[in-house]
Amino acid sequence: MERQTQIKQKNYEFDYTKYRSILIPLLQEIDKQDNLDSKKLVKILAKYPKDGNKVFSKYQLVVAYKALLKEEDQSIVHNSDLLQKIQMKPVRSISGVTPVTILTKPFPCPGKCIFCPNDVRMPKSYLSDEPGAQRAERNAFDPYLQTFDRLQALYNIGHNTDKIEIIILGGTWSFYPEKYQIWFIKRCFEAMNDFGDGVNMNFLELNAKISDQNHRSKTKNTEIIRNTSAKSYNSLITQQIKEKVKKIPNDIESASWQELFMEHRRNETASSRCVGLVIETRPDNISPEEVIRIRKLGCTKTQIGFQSLNDKVLELNHRGHNVKATEEAVKLLRWSGFKIHAHWMANLYGSNPDRDIADYQRMFTSPRFRPDELKVYPCSLIETAELMDYYNKGLWKPYEYTKLLRVVTEVIKSTPEYCRLTRVIRDIPGTDIVSGNKITNFRQIAEQELDKQKVVRKEIRSREVKNLKVSKEDLQLITLAYKNCIGTELFLQYVTESNKIAGFLRLALPNFTLPSNLDMTYITPKEFTNSAKVTKYEHPFIEELSNSAIIREIHIYGRAANLGEKTTDKTQHLGLGSKLIQVAKQISSDTGYLKMSVISAVGTRVYYRKKGFTDGELYQFMNLD
């Protein structure tokens, strides 16, 4: 996009012209490398020192490369692979979109879970030295500053910032006041819109300092943090909020629906568009009213804490809800087309490896659950958690290495191909863990163990095409049918001969009864539509979804491409999305639905309008003749 030819500044300048004679051969050598890893890159950088004894940062390499391209310097040619080679953490945008994670402010939580940390500097369950939490605190938990700052950092190191997934973490979103929720998301959209317009960051840093002085909690006393229980966490946070309100009017963190909708409309055609919006909550906070509210906010996915599917384990850990509440929450979210990103924990008090493995497998053998994505968090012992008392009394202890490895390998092995294991070990600094696993790459160890056993991993993350260049001829469409708690789900996926996944579509067919012999089977669209027909139905609480099939997600893998970019070697622009929509449309029509709806993100509305969808109140839809 045009605005990306102008490098945004963040209180620092880099004059690449001063180092042109060094940078050109440096970039050329990087470009020649076929298998460049971090060690090789360090050696290359050392061969071309900056000012005699320094090395160029990756940010500086990106700035120089883009500027030389703009100058049309004949010694530098456009090569998208070169940016990937010098990027920091290219995996951040390898799945087709660029995720931006931000945290809500510390706030009282309805939960009393014994495993949960109680750091009064952070929203419930988060720790102040986790990377995302540090960024949030540095920006005073202000949603605008967090979003803009993260976009700036990602852009500076070469990541695409056109298609953004905003992930809002911070305990129980549904427990925050509605005005705060509207304001928070409005400010996120304002940041994306301003960033896309090329707003300079300098004045924002001053704003951050002011915001930091007025808003950020200064509670740094180690003894207070160490002795904070779930009950005292809530009382301390409540006291902090009251003190802030005395100094700052409470309506500062407030906005109207109309103000939010205005930023939504602005984002529909912005250069940095929101193609996914995720909030985090608990099963017992999901209701029809809550589902409609988060949909109005623009939400498309929920991170929801299952933690366990064993009532006894939930009770022992003071979770505050039972498995029935999780079932009901999943049903409400499925009726509404939301993607379900579950959290599940191993090694909870009252469980053991065998129970954990059985519990995890139940999540997929039972149509009542079957989430689309998962974070798997083996329980870690944190000093401020109530679990410390159980540990000190000898009532609970973390799994030792071999037991944990057994659980994690079985978890990965048991995850079906329609689910993505986003994370397997939580990114908690080892200094915060009192006892238990501190190996951050434990997932990799478990995957290597499965490879030794010649076990093929089916879950999505293990099958993504990533940097693999594929053509239309390399791909075939296969369809997996499975039951869920409201009817039937079809997982349509384009895969290579080796089963690498290039793109998929999740099609929900409410009230469609799938014959038991077809559950979890591959089926052609014709075979499927011959199996049964749906009868007309009324949606339980959203009228516009009555008699409608629902596209819950379309995702095309491969490195995030620019909006409007046309290429022949990127899976994001092979037309897979259009083909998937056409197949979904035919299936929905043939099985008797009157229309097909899509739970579109704000930044994808224009795309779906071009595909024939019409705007509804909460969804976009097309009538089926």
Side-chain angles (χ1 to χ4, degrees):
M1 304 298 288
E2 180 62 28
R3 56 102 184 161
Q4 289 187 332
T5 60
Q6 180 180 359
I7 302 296
K8 297 176 175 67
Q9 302 299 325
K10 190 180 176 184
N11 276 353
Y12 45 76
E13 298 280 346
F14 174 60
D15 183 7
Y16 73 96
T17 59
K18 180 180 175 183
Y19 304 98
R20 181 191 294 271
S21 61
I22 304 173
L23 284 165
I24 289 176
L26 168 56
L27 290 168
Q28 288 174 334
E29 182 161 350
I30 292 173
D31 196 19
K32 292 176 185 176
Q33 304 299 314
D34 291 327
N35 298 302
L36 183 68
D37 56 26
S38 57
K39 290 183 180 179
K40 286 182 181 178
L41 181 59
V42 168
K43 288 182 179 179
I44 294 172
L45 291 173
K47 284 174 60 178
Y48 300 91
K50 174 188 172 189
D51 298 326
N53 59 357
K54 299 176 183 177
V55 295
F56 291 99
S57 70
K58 292 181 180 180
Y59 160 72
Q60 291 168 340
L61 295 180
V62 171
V63 170
Y65 175 66
K66 289 183 176 181
L68 289 167
L69 278 181
K70 187 180 177 183
E71 286 183 7
E72 299 182 353
D73 190 298
Q74 297 302 308
S75 55
I76 298 294
V77 296
H78 182 272
N79 183 354
S80 59
D81 289 341
L82 177 58
L83 269 182
Q84 296 170 23
K85 289 174 182 177
I86 60 180
Q87 250 179 28
M88 292 181 183
K89 299 184 178 178
V91 71
R92 295 204 182 282
S93 54
I94 200 68
S95 293
V97 299
T98 303
V100 170
T101 301
I102 57 178
L103 265 67
T104 50
K105 67 180 180 181
F107 199 76
C109 177
K112 298 178 175 61
C113 312
I114 64 173
F115 50 78
C116 198
N118 293 288
D119 188 334
V120 294
R121 297 167 293 186
M122 289 290 126
K124 196 67 157 60
S125 86
Y126 289 88
L127 296 162
S128 61
D129 47 2
E130 291 179 275
Q134 289 181 332
R135 288 195 299 268
E137 189 176 28
R138 187 168 64 243
N139 287 291
F141 297 98
D142 184 286
Y144 186 103
L145 298 175
Q146 288 185 71
T147 304
F148 201 113
D149 187 47
R150 191 68 182 136
L151 288 171
Q152 182 76 63
L154 290 166
Y155 178 80
N156 283 347
I157 55 176
H159 287 284
N160 184 288
T161 54
D162 284 4
K163 292 179 281 187
I164 306 299
E165 181 181 50
I166 294 289
I167 303 170
I168 302 172
L169 302 181
T172 307
W173 169 264
S174 308
F175 204 64
Y176 284 81
E178 183 180 274
K179 286 187 177 181
Y180 176 82
Q181 293 181 23
I182 298 170
W183 169 81
F184 194 94
I185 289 180
K186 169 185 168 282
R187 293 289 283 165
C188 293
F189 275 94
E190 279 186 296
M192 284 183 283
N193 294 336
D194 287 351
F195 185 84
D197 287 344
V199 171
N200 195 287
M201 188 65 177
N202 292 341
F203 81 94
L204 295 172
E205 292 189 337
L206 176 61
N207 190 11
K209 292 177 182 178
I210 297 170
S211 184
D212 181 65
Q213 292 168 3
N214 292 331
H215 288 267
R216 189 168 66 176
S217 169
K218 298 297 184 182
T219 309
K220 297 292 184 183
N221 188 295
T222 305
E223 290 304 315
I224 292 177
I225 295 166
R226 181 179 292 125
N227 296 320
T228 301
S229 65
K231 184 177 179 181
S232 58
Y233 172 92
N234 282 353
S235 62
L236 281 168
I237 293 298
T238 302
Q239 183 60 36
Q240 287 180 15
I241 292 171
K242 288 179 179 178
E243 290 174 0
K244 285 181 184 178
V245 170
K246 290 178 183 177
K247 300 176 183 177
I248 307 164
N250 201 30
D251 60 1
I252 282 181
E253 295 178 345
S254 169
S256 69
W257 284 108
Q258 275 59 44
E259 289 174 313
L260 171 62
F261 296 155
M262 184 178 69
E263 292 300 329
H264 278 179
R265 288 190 292 272
R266 188 179 163 205
N267 190 252
E268 288 182 13
T269 55
S271 296
S272 292
R273 297 182 199 174
C274 180
V275 299
L277 179 62
V278 189
I279 57 95
E280 181 181 41
T281 193
R282 291 165 51 96
D284 49 341
N285 278 87
I286 293 293
S287 65
E289 296 75 21
E290 179 64 12
V291 167
I292 292 171
R293 175 166 49 248
I294 62 175
R295 185 64 199 125
K296 284 175 65 179
L297 291 168
C299 183
T300 56
K301 182 192 299 183
T302 56
Q303 291 199 26
I304 183 169
F306 287 14
Q307 314 311 7
S308 174
L309 298 178
N310 183 311
D311 277 334
K312 186 62 177 176
V313 171
L314 290 174
E315 181 183 359
L316 288 171
N317 287 270
H318 300 175
R319 179 62 181 163
H321 67 79
N322 56 18
V323 178
K324 185 67 176 175
T326 303
E327 289 181 31
E328 290 301 314
V330 169
K331 185 178 290 187
L332 290 171
L333 292 167
R334 281 208 182 277
W335 271 114
S336 313
F338 282 90
K339 277 77 75 178
I340 299 170
H341 191 166
H343 296 187
W344 179 84
M345 297 183 70
N347 200 184
L348 289 172
Y349 175 53
S351 191
N352 60 44
D354 288 335
R355 288 177 191 155
D356 283 342
I357 293 168
D359 194 71
Y360 188 85
Q361 291 172 343
R362 187 181 308 121
M363 193 166 9
F364 296 106
T365 56
S366 171
R368 296 172 296 171
F369 307 107
R370 292 181 164 171
D372 306 303
E373 297 183 50
L374 260 173
K375 287 182 179 178
V376 174
Y377 290 153
C379 188
S380 296
L381 183 61
I382 308 300
E383 190 174 16
T384 59
E386 189 180 343
L387 189 62
M388 274 294 294
D389 295 337
Y390 294 73
Y391 174 75
N392 290 331
K393 292 175 183 177
L395 299 174
W396 175 90
K397 63 179 181 179
Y399 294 157
E400 46 90 17
Y401 179 87
T402 55
K403 287 183 178 179
L404 182 59
L405 183 61
R406 177 180 165 232
V407 171
V408 173
T409 53
E410 287 297 323
V411 158
I412 298 173
K413 186 194 304 185
S414 302
T415 308
E417 64 189 271
Y418 61 79
C419 183
R420 187 177 194 269
L421 274 176
T422 308
R423 184 163 290 179
V424 172
I425 298 292
R426 184 170 169 183
D427 189 17
I428 297 177
T431 52
D432 286 321
I433 299 173
V434 176
S435 180
N437 173 63
K438 297 183 181 182
I439 303 173
T440 56
N441 69 328
F442 204 93
R443 176 181 188 149
Q444 183 181 8
I445 293 170
E447 289 176 339
Q448 289 170 348
E449 180 64 25
L450 289 171
D451 291 342
K452 287 179 187 176
Q453 298 173 16
K454 298 189 179 340
V455 173
V456 177
R457 289 173 270 134
K458 296 177 290 185
E459 60 90 21
I460 292 173
R461 190 172 183 268
S462 298
R463 298 192 295 124
E464 295 171 10
V465 291
K466 297 183 179 175
N467 280 325
L468 183 67
K469 293 183 178 180
V470 296
S471 66
K472 295 177 183 178
E473 292 72 28
D474 298 325
L475 301 171
Q476 62 174 327
L477 177 65
I478 60 174
T479 303
L480 179 71
Y482 60 96
K483 294 181 176 181
N484 62 33
C485 56
I486 65 165
T488 298
E489 185 90 12
L490 292 185
F491 186 67
L492 291 77
Q493 54 181 325
Y494 274 106
V495 297
T496 65
E497 188 176 354
S498 60
N499 204 31
K500 291 294 184 182
I501 186 167
F504 67 80
L505 182 150
R506 301 185 191 275
L507 180 65
L509 302 173
N511 273 26
F512 186 96
T513 303
L514 184 70
S516 296
N517 65 313
L518 296 181
D519 187 32
M520 290 300 295
T521 60
Y522 295 121
I523 189 169
T524 66
K526 186 174 181 180
E527 289 172 333
F528 178 78
T529 54
N530 287 338
S531 65
K533 296 283 184 182
V534 71
T535 56
K536 291 183 180 181
Y537 72 95
E538 295 297 320
H539 192 279
F541 57 94
I542 300 177
E543 185 179 348
E544 68 180 287
L545 289 179
S546 294
N547 303 313
S548 181
I550 310 170
I551 294 177
R552 298 195 304 117
E553 181 177 16
I554 299 176
H555 199 120
I556 309 303
Y557 284 101
R559 185 166 303 282
N562 292 332
L563 290 167
E565 179 183 0
K566 299 297 181 184
T567 67
T568 57
D569 63 348
K570 288 187 178 180
T571 52
Q572 287 219 325
H573 288 293
L574 291 177
L576 302 184
S578 297
K579 291 181 179 180
L580 288 165
I581 289 173
Q582 285 303 312
V583 175
K585 178 182 177 181
Q586 191 65 53
I587 292 173
S588 301
S589 178
D590 290 347
T591 46
Y593 291 91
L594 302 182
K595 59 184 177 180
M596 182 171 71
S597 302
V598 59
I599 183 167
S600 51
V602 170
T604 61
R605 289 175 183 170
V606 172
Y607 170 83
Y608 285 111
R609 287 176 195 140
K610 291 178 181 177
K611 301 302 176 185
F613 287 84
T614 301
D615 292 354
E617 186 178 349
L618 298 173
Y619 300 81
Q620 291 178 288
F621 67 92
M622 65 165 61
N623 292 318
L624 303 175
D625 298 327

